[in-house]
Amino acid sequence: MRAMTLQRSFAGGFYVVSVEGQELGIVQSVDGGGIKAELLTQPIGGEYLRVKNIGGVTIEPLTLQVGASLSEAFYKWIADSWRGDYVRKDGSILVCDFDLVPKHEMTFTNALIVETTVPALDGSAKGPAYLTIKLQPETLVHNRSPQGGKVRGLVPAKQKLFQPQNFSFALDHFKTGNVTKVESFTIKQSVKPLMTGRLRPALWEPTSVEFPNLTITTALEASDDLFKWHKKFVVDGDAQVEDETTGEISFLTPDGTKSLLDIHLSGVGITGLTLEKMDAQQGRGGVKRVRAELYVTEMKFDYKAGPRL
């Protein structure tokens, strides 16, 4: 009886991203990248069975969770995508064990950044905050035997620099007090698939950039300017372009003295203002808060944890 050779499974430890031949660093997690075919069915004559065939191929987006530890080139790619500068890039993701030995490789081409999700910022939160980046490649290849030896000693020293409680929010011309929460939001790069000739995977063509609304929470005591702005814009219906404002969201260092990442806001208006729910069980001494909903015409990404863009 022939002896069976069992191949031991490995525990994934690190995910190393490279773009345009440059190793950019380690990301927190990787998801997606599946390759799926469209299933076609057709009847044959009076037969009760249907013949099934494989049609076009769809490549699922790659979703990466990233901190502040990657090379400046990656954050520049994000900044370019927010400006509508549609940059397609080739790259790869190495799945490594805890000894940084590559075990699997996903190689992609002509990838576009189609989504950037900024995590919720909350003064009472704990633990690191990660940006979620979604890439849409045009081709993707899985390599079960990646070439090369152990990856260079990449230590994600800055991976957890982004902390959800270390942030600031400010609007020009309007006082918002000490904003305690900014809810998560997603910037989307709209794309449409194009089928060309005999190519089975679709080519992706960018169309427009969509900037979301923002929801912030601040103390009722410091919201006089917000109520006046809301009355003019919403209650009275006197929403003029010249009454829009600019602002900024900043990820700060733990001591609050420096900015790691600025998100510049322009064309900001107010659409809603709501008192946050309070009940007797929260105590009479609880801070009364309001939630403001803002629209934003444009956002700009300015990474500062490394070399300036």
Side-chain angles (χ1 to χ4, degrees):
M1 183 176 180
R2 189 189 312 177
M4 295 181 62
T5 302
L6 298 178
Q7 185 175 0
R8 295 183 61 185
S9 299
F10 73 95
F14 297 99
Y15 306 93
V16 181
V17 176
S18 297
V19 173
E20 301 295 343
Q22 179 184 359
E23 204 170 85
L24 300 185
I26 294 172
V27 298
Q28 176 67 13
S29 68
V30 178
D31 190 19
I35 303 173
K36 296 184 177 180
E38 179 186 3
L39 185 62
L40 306 177
T41 62
Q42 61 181 22
I44 299 181
E47 297 290 332
Y48 71 95
L49 295 177
R50 290 175 177 264
V51 176
K52 297 182 179 181
N53 294 289
I54 296 298
V57 173
T58 299
I59 298 176
E60 295 179 331
L62 288 164
T63 302
L64 315 178
Q65 277 196 318
V66 306
S69 64
L70 297 185
S71 167
E72 180 265 346
F74 189 85
Y75 303 101
K76 184 178 186 304
W77 191 14
I78 299 173
D80 289 342
S81 73
W82 288 24
R83 288 195 297 266
D85 187 1
Y86 314 121
V87 182
R88 295 178 172 86
K89 291 185 180 289
D90 301 341
S92 68
I93 298 173
L94 280 176
V95 182
C96 303
D97 61 18
F98 280 97
D99 294 321
L100 287 172
V101 176
K103 296 294 184 179
H104 187 87
E105 182 178 29
M106 291 183 286
T107 302
F108 57 85
T109 63
N110 293 329
L112 289 167
I113 294 179
V114 293
E115 286 187 11
T116 306
T117 298
V118 178
L121 303 175
D122 189 337
S124 63
K126 302 295 181 183
Y130 298 101
L131 303 173
T132 302
I133 310 298
K134 187 174 288 188
L135 308 178
Q136 179 61 66
E138 290 185 349
T139 68
L140 190 142
V141 176
H142 290 271
N143 180 8
R144 292 292 298 116
S145 301
Q147 299 297 315
K150 185 175 180 180
V151 177
R152 291 187 293 111
L154 295 173
V155 179
K158 297 180 180 179
Q159 185 75 356
K160 298 181 180 181
L161 271 183
F162 292 153
Q163 297 285 326
Q165 70 274 24
N166 299 327
F167 76 96
S168 67
F169 177 93
L171 293 177
D172 299 322
H173 314 305
F174 296 98
K175 295 179 181 179
T176 58
N178 183 23
V179 172
T180 56
K181 185 175 182 180
V182 179
E183 295 187 11
S184 176
F185 57 94
T186 300
I187 291 84
K188 295 183 178 181
Q189 167 64 73
S190 298
V191 293
K192 61 180 181 179
L194 297 176
M195 305 306 295
T196 305
R198 295 185 177 181
L199 290 177
R200 296 183 68 203
L203 304 179
W204 293 96
E205 190 65 27
T207 54
S208 60
V209 180
E210 301 174 15
F211 294 105
N213 296 339
L214 295 178
T215 301
I216 65 171
T217 301
T218 190
L220 176 62
E221 187 69 21
S223 59
D224 286 353
D225 277 8
L226 291 176
F227 274 94
K228 292 175 183 177
W229 192 24
H230 176 262
K231 184 178 185 303
K232 185 178 190 320
F233 251 59
V234 179
V235 179
D236 297 340
D238 187 16
Q240 305 295 329
V241 174
E242 56 266 25
D243 294 319
E244 294 179 344
T245 188
T246 55
E248 189 171 87
I249 303 170
S250 296
F251 287 70
L252 304 176
T253 55
D255 61 6
T257 60
K258 294 181 180 179
S259 173
L260 302 169
L261 167 65
D262 288 338
I263 297 175
H264 304 290
L265 314 172
S266 61
V268 182
I270 189 167
T271 62
L273 197 61
T274 308
L275 288 176
E276 197 172 61
K277 179 183 176 181
M278 296 290 292
D279 57 49
Q281 292 183 350
Q282 291 177 289
R284 296 179 181 273
V287 177
K288 306 301 186 291
R289 302 187 187 281
V290 295
R291 186 182 299 109
E293 298 174 20
L294 311 173
Y295 68 79
V296 183
T297 304
E298 185 178 10
M299 300 180 182
K300 292 183 179 180
F301 187 95
D302 186 5
Y303 174 74
K304 294 183 174 181
R308 294 300 304 276
L309 300 181

